[in-house]
Amino acid sequence: MLFRSVGVVTGQADGDAWRAHEGRIFSASGSVVKITVLPSEVGDLFATIHQRTAAASIDCDIAGRGALGVVLVRLGGSPSSHVTVIRDLRAAASARGGHLAVMSATAEVEREVGAFGPLGDAEPVMRAVKARFDPHRVLNVGVAPWS
């Protein structure tokens, strides 16, 4: 349910409002990352996002569902500054028990930071799923370390 100044929005209007809210992240140029953390960590994460983007002198848009711990961030400005910011945000998410995945970026940025980053304990499971559902390794070639 999305709250607006005109009241509570429910049903189809609620879904439309959330799609429009999150759609603004993908409607502009720049790198888009998805950060997942515990909902209790979202406030600190927002502060970190603003600190890192301000230090790099780039603009950002943030959307998501804080109660679920899912945050979408669009980094504006020059892609050359995105690599450092993405690495910093990935480290910040990891320190909070979360993860950062690159949803959209230039090939150069994605090559530098990787789409998923370190997978930790999840890597064996992801390898098994990939082997089971893509035994000929034709999907997402070059995206995951084992593709």
Side-chain angles (χ1 to χ4, degrees), residues 16-102:
D16 292 345
W18 277 113
R19 279 186 288 285
H21 175 65
E22 291 176 350
R24 70 185 174 82
I25 296 296
F26 295 98
S27 65
S29 62
S31 297
V32 177
V33 298
K34 178 180 179 181
I35 306 172
T36 54
V37 293
L38 290 172
S40 60
E41 299 290 339
V42 171
D44 287 340
L45 179 65
F46 277 11
T48 300
I49 293 167
H50 287 294
Q51 289 169 352
R52 299 302 194 275
T53 56
S57 298
I58 60 174
D59 65 314
C60 72
D61 285 316
I62 303 172
R65 297 192 179 212
L68 299 177
V70 178
V71 179
L72 297 173
V73 181
R74 185 198 54 82
L75 303 172
S78 171
S80 62
S81 60
H82 295 183
V83 171
T84 300
V85 173
I86 291 170
R87 285 181 177 152
D88 288 349
L89 294 179
R90 184 171 273 155
S94 181
R96 291 170 173 80
H99 188 260
L100 179 148
V102 176

